[in-house]
Amino acid sequence: MKSSKNYVIGLLTLVVILSVAFFTRDWYVFYKCGAVETCLAESSYFQHYAKFAVTTIMTIVAFFVGKKCICPRDRKLLLLASVLALCADFCLKILHNAVKLFDHSSDYTLLGICFFMVFQAVLIYRHTRKSDTDNSVPWIICVPFAVMFLTNALHLFDVFESAMIPIVATYGAFLICSVIVAVKAPKVGYFPASNAKLIKRGMILFFCCDACVGISLATGPDHSTQEIVATIANNFVWYFYVPALICLVMSGLRRK
């Protein structure tokens, strides 16, 4: 038991070291490149690999929850969510930024968002359960599927041309629903109080992370105020994402 605890502490320490490294590198690159997209892209390979390494480590930490989990079923849901986040970040940080795959980078972005949709759906199911044997499907999960149906219908009727809009709108619906159920987790009473608080904090941090992603998608001429704000927001994405992952993974660990 102590060895597992030591492994977790060691892995979390490595996460902190990597996070400090890529945070520092992000701001150094911003200082050097400003908002010049080409310069930023060419100077950010270390950050992409370091950030993916953090997600990989947190997935490994999820496996170390082991016998100290809340229950075996909750551990399986947490492991599934962790693996989905890993797949999403592999698409967004590795495949999306691979030079030889630039022609397909937008496809990998869409695939990464789809993985995060399933990730949020798993968390919605996990955070709405009221007992170890609760198999009920939460009604709130219907909301993002309704948004998916509506936005895709509008896309078919050429209300908007980009296929990205239905995907982003659907993911936004999944995210908002996931935050709502996470905020209510302490009141549901299934999770121990400390675990429920971690779930709540983790999803609020996740929302802040994705809000920064939304701002970072703003485009404009190089060095324009809009582009500078977008670059700064992009540097804050993992500032929220790393503690969000830590909170969600550690929420599966039963405290005394």
Side-chain angles (χ1 to χ4, degrees), residues 6 36 38 49 52 79 86 113 125 149 178 188 206 225:
N6 291 335
V36 180
T38 304
Y49 290 111
F52 178 69
L79 285 175
L86 183 66
I113 295 172
Y125 178 72
F149 175 81
S178 189
V188 172
F206 213 107
T225 302

Side-chain angles (χ1 to χ4, degrees), residues 79-197:
L79 285 175
L80 176 58
S82 299
V83 171
L84 287 166
L86 183 66
C87 292
D89 283 333
F90 181 70
C91 294
L92 296 172
K93 304 303 319 173
I94 305 299
L95 297 179
H96 175 80
N97 295 291
V99 176
K100 294 182 180 179
L101 300 174
F102 273 167
D103 292 340
H104 306 284
S105 60
S106 59
D107 296 330
Y108 292 122
T109 298
L110 290 174
L111 182 59
I113 295 172
C114 289
F115 273 120
F116 269 128
M117 282 187 204
V118 185
F119 167 81
Q120 296 294 356
V122 171
L123 291 184
I124 289 171
Y125 178 72
R126 177 190 182 227
H127 299 157
T128 52
R129 292 191 311 120
K130 297 179 180 179
S131 69
D132 292 349
T133 57
D134 184 3
N135 293 313
S136 60
V137 178
W139 66 267
I140 199 169
I141 201 72
C142 298
V143 174
F145 284 106
V147 172
M148 180 189 296
F149 175 81
L150 178 62
T151 53
N152 277 286
L154 292 173
H155 176 57
L156 288 174
F157 286 103
D158 295 326
V159 175
F160 38 75
E161 295 181 2
S162 175
M164 181 70 83
I165 294 177
I167 299 251
V168 171
T170 303
Y171 175 70
F174 270 111
L175 175 64
I176 292 171
C177 292
S178 189
V179 172
I180 290 171
V181 299
V183 169
K184 291 182 177 180
K187 297 180 181 179
V188 172
Y190 169 68
F191 291 95
S194 58
N195 298 71
K197 287 178 182 177

